[in-house]
């Protein structure tokens, strides 16, 4: 593994640990030898991307504001703030739940924007920095609905369906996933319950650009399952679909989507 790849791996790891990790923890989690971890951390500290001191190995290393600031600057330059955010805010206001936008990047989904509609009571907001696990997320299933079953099988060929970090509602086999995809195609939206966190549910649709029916991202609404039940999802569906169409129509104006 090159030092460049190790640097990226450390940055990605620390996005999920805002209070930081100690050097031995970083080395252990990423299976990087301690001397190599020390060299990479030294470079990242010197460049200003990580805060921490190499003189005290017991101290924690955490991301500096530099990397998030670069990300926010990039998203602002792509027009997400001016173009996309009002659409998300409007949908969040109508639904009273968490609305999230993800874009397709290769064979992965990347979260780029969100809006929280619930101002009090039970709130649902997943941890920032987590990878989108396609089989267990409404967003992932919404994207998979746009693919053929053969394409889905190829993408999921090496997927670990037995991973322990998902809830009891997550599909545990490729056949279970394909059954969920079939149901989603039939009713027009994907939905999950107890897939990531027990007691939560989510629904999502693909954002499809014309011409060509090209999926460029997904749009979801998520919240406590006691509120966002099947009946409520059917009420929300027209708003969700309309917002996805609006995002698709606006996508040509943003370089964020033109990269796809």
């Amino acid at each position: 593994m090159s030092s460049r790849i190790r640097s990226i791996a450390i940055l990605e790891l620390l996005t999920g640990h805002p209070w930081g990790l100690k050097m031995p923890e970083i080395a252990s989690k990423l299976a990087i030898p301690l001397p190599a971890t020390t060299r990479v951390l030294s470079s990242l500290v010197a460049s200003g991307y990580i805060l921490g001191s190499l003189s005290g190995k017991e101290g924690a290393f955490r991301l500096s504001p530099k990397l998030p600031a670069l990300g926010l600057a990039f998203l602002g330059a792509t027009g997400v703030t001016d173009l996309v955010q009002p659409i998300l805010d409007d949908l969040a206001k109508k639904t009273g739940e968490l609305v999230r936008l993800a874009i397709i990047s290769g064979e992965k989904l990347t979260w780029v924007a969100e809006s929280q509609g619930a101002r009090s009571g039970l709130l649902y907001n997943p941890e920032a920095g987590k990878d989108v696990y396609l089989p267990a997320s409404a967003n992932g299933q919404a994207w998979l609905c746009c693919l053929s079953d053969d394409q889905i099988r190829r993408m999921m060929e090496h997927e670990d369906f037995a991973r322990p970090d998902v809830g009891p509602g997550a599909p545990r086999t490729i056949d279970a996933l394909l059954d969920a995809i079939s149901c989603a195609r039939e009713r027009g939206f994907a939905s999950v319950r107890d897939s990531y966190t027990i007691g939560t549910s989510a629904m999502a649709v693909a954002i499809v650009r014309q011409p060509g029916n090209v999926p460029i991202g997904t749009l979801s609404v998520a919240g406590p399952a006691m509120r966002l039940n099947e009946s409520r999802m059917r009420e929300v569906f027209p708003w969700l679909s309309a917002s996805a169409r609006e995002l698709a129509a606006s996508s040509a104006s943003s370089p964020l989507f033109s990269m796809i």
Side-chain angles (χ1 to χ4, degrees):
M1 186 186 297
S2 69
S3 60
R4 182 178 301 176
I5 294 176
R6 285 170 172 164
S7 296
I8 294 172
I10 289 174
L11 291 172
E12 290 180 341
L13 173 65
L14 291 179
T15 60
H17 299 274
W19 297 107
L21 291 171
K22 296 179 180 179
M23 188 187 302
E25 293 176 310
I26 295 172
S28 175
K29 288 179 179 294
L30 297 177
I32 301 175
L34 196 56
T37 304
T38 302
R39 290 193 298 271
V40 175
L41 284 173
S42 176
S43 175
L44 290 171
V45 169
S47 65
Y49 287 103
I50 284 181
L51 300 176
S53 174
L54 293 167
S55 60
K57 292 187 178 181
E58 294 304 313
F61 292 85
R62 59 187 176 87
L63 290 182
S64 76
K66 184 175 181 178
L67 188 61
L70 287 175
L72 290 173
F74 168 73
L75 291 178
T78 63
V80 166
T81 302
D82 298 330
L83 182 70
V84 171
Q85 198 63 49
I87 300 174
L88 303 188
D89 291 344
D90 180 65
L91 181 58
K93 183 178 180 180
K94 288 177 178 176
T95 62
E97 303 294 356
L98 175 68
V99 172
R100 304 187 82 188
L101 168 67
I103 62 168
I104 297 169
S105 177
E107 292 191 347
K108 295 183 178 180
L109 277 175
T110 303
W111 303 117
V112 295
E114 67 177 44
S115 181
Q116 176 62 265
R119 301 303 176 191
S120 62
L122 288 174
L123 303 180
Y124 172 62
N125 200 340
E127 289 182 38
K130 269 194 172 183
D131 292 335
V132 181
Y133 176 48
L134 299 181
S137 67
N139 287 273
Q141 291 187 17
W143 175 28
L144 294 177
C145 283
C146 301
L147 308 180
S148 69
D149 286 1
D150 287 342
Q151 288 176 305
I152 296 172
R153 287 185 182 276
R154 180 186 60 78
M155 285 181 63
M156 298 294 112
E157 183 178 3
H158 302 294
E159 190 63 67
D160 179 17
F161 283 91
R163 54 189 287 174
D165 59 334
V166 294
R172 293 295 182 176
T173 66
I174 183 64
D175 289 334
L177 173 61
L178 289 174
D179 285 344
I181 296 300
S182 178
C183 291
R185 288 172 179 151
E186 188 173 321
R187 65 181 174 178
F189 64 90
S191 69
V192 295
R193 177 171 177 162
D194 301 331
S195 283
Y196 271 116
T197 305
I198 294 177
T200 64
S201 62
M203 63 183 299
V205 295
I207 302 168
V208 181
R209 184 166 55 198
Q210 301 297 337
N213 289 323
V214 179
I216 59 175
T218 59
L219 183 63
S220 65
V221 174
M226 63 183 295
R227 276 202 314 252
L228 192 61
N229 53 31
E230 184 69 24
S231 175
R232 179 58 176 164
M233 286 184 183
R234 295 192 180 279
E235 293 176 359
V236 167
F237 177 54
W239 299 330
L240 179 62
S241 296
S243 297
R245 290 193 297 270
E246 190 174 357
L247 287 168
S250 303
S251 63
S253 302
S254 171
L256 183 69
F257 293 100
S258 65
M259 299 172 190
I260 300 169

